[in-house]
Amino acid sequence: MSSMNPEKLAQLRENAASDDKKVHAALKKLNVTAIPNIEEVNMFRDDGKVMHFPNPKIQASVQSQTFAVYGKPVVKDMLEMPELMGQMGNQQMMIQQLLQQLQGNQGADLMKNVQASHDRWQDDHAIG
């Protein structure tokens, strides 16, 4: 196992701090405000996984449709979190049921095919 050069590690920390300051400055320009008392945030990924943020800090600006979520996410498979079924729409629930039937790579491939089919349907039925 190799260790990182201390100078390189210091540079990485410095860059991360600089990036963090830039993000906060950009959010300040959008007039974000803190939203207290959020117990969790779940972001559903296309690959059937969920980014779960327990007790996150949230800042938002409704006018600019911007939300910032701070915290350490835990990436989990949707099958590990059955309590999330109530947070899903009809399409996600259908995909979840199919994934439960087809574990592994077949389920991921099926989900991609269902999403592609849905995208084609939306393109075919687009207004305008």
Side-chain angles (χ1 to χ4, degrees):
M1 179 181 218
S2 64
S3 62
M4 187 174 279
N5 180 337
E7 290 87 18
K8 184 160 180 105
L9 187 57
Q11 181 65 37
L12 287 173
R13 286 186 186 141
E14 193 174 301
N15 289 345
S18 175
D19 290 345
D20 196 41
K21 287 178 184 178
K22 290 177 186 177
V23 168
H24 284 289
L27 289 171
K28 188 174 182 178
K29 288 179 185 179
L30 296 172
N31 296 319
V32 296
T33 56
I35 300 176
N37 304 322
I38 303 294
E39 293 179 15
E40 67 178 13
V41 170
N42 294 306
M43 296 183 181
F44 298 90
R45 298 182 356 179
D46 289 338
D47 64 358
K49 304 239 183 251
V50 177
M51 288 178 57
H52 175 74
F53 292 83
N55 300 313
K57 293 180 183 176
I58 309 292
Q59 291 183 318
S61 170
V62 176
Q63 298 86 353
S64 60
Q65 298 179 353
T66 302
F67 293 85
V69 179
Y70 299 92
K72 293 192 180 225
V74 178
V75 178
K76 297 183 178 184
D77 192 286
M78 276 193 233
L79 298 175
E80 296 175 38
M81 302 179 73
E83 68 275 10
L84 296 179
M85 294 299 279
Q87 298 177 18
M88 297 181 195
N90 289 337
Q91 180 185 3
Q92 287 85 6
M93 287 183 71
M94 181 184 72
I95 291 170
Q96 180 67 20
Q97 289 168 352
L98 291 171
L99 281 174
Q100 287 174 344
Q101 294 172 5
L102 297 170
Q103 289 287 329
N105 291 338
Q106 287 180 337
D109 291 342
L110 176 63
M111 193 161 88
K112 288 178 188 174
N113 290 338
V114 169
Q115 184 64 49
S117 177
H118 175 71
D119 292 344
R120 282 192 303 273
W121 184 89
Q122 280 189 323
D123 290 344
D124 292 344
H125 295 87
I127 298 173

